Amino acid sequence: TALKAVDGVQESTVDIDKKITTVKFLLAKADLSEIETAITKAGYSANDKKADPAAYEKLDECCKVE
């Protein structure tokens, strides 16, 4: 849901079992840093960037990683 607000994101898919998201985006409209920031603000880690702790605590248990 957080990625829908990022201009240039065309598609994102989530593998719930592996807890991985794949994002397709237009480089001319969005950059990787902007996408990573949207993900971390939603409570998830993105590549080497850690999740926002307050947002992470609000996630359902199924969405948290060890």
Side-chain angles (χ1 to χ4, degrees):
T1 304
L3 292 173
K4 289 180 181 179
V6 179
D7 189 35
V9 171
Q10 294 182 309
E11 177 183 342
S12 65
T13 57
V14 178
D15 184 324
I16 295 173
D17 294 330
K18 293 181 182 178
K19 299 187 180 192
I20 295 175
T21 298
T22 303
V23 181
K24 292 182 182 179
F25 64 98
L26 297 172
L27 191 56
K29 290 190 173 189
D31 63 25
L32 184 57
S33 179
E34 185 178 9
I35 292 168
E36 289 173 332
T37 298
I39 293 169
T40 59
K41 285 182 177 182
Y44 303 97
S45 294
N47 298 326
D48 63 340
K49 297 184 178 176
K50 300 291 183 190
D52 175 270
Y56 181 81
E57 287 303 315
K58 294 178 183 177
L59 295 176
D60 293 334
E61 287 302 314
C62 63
C63 297
K64 296 180 178 181
V65 295
E66 296 177 13

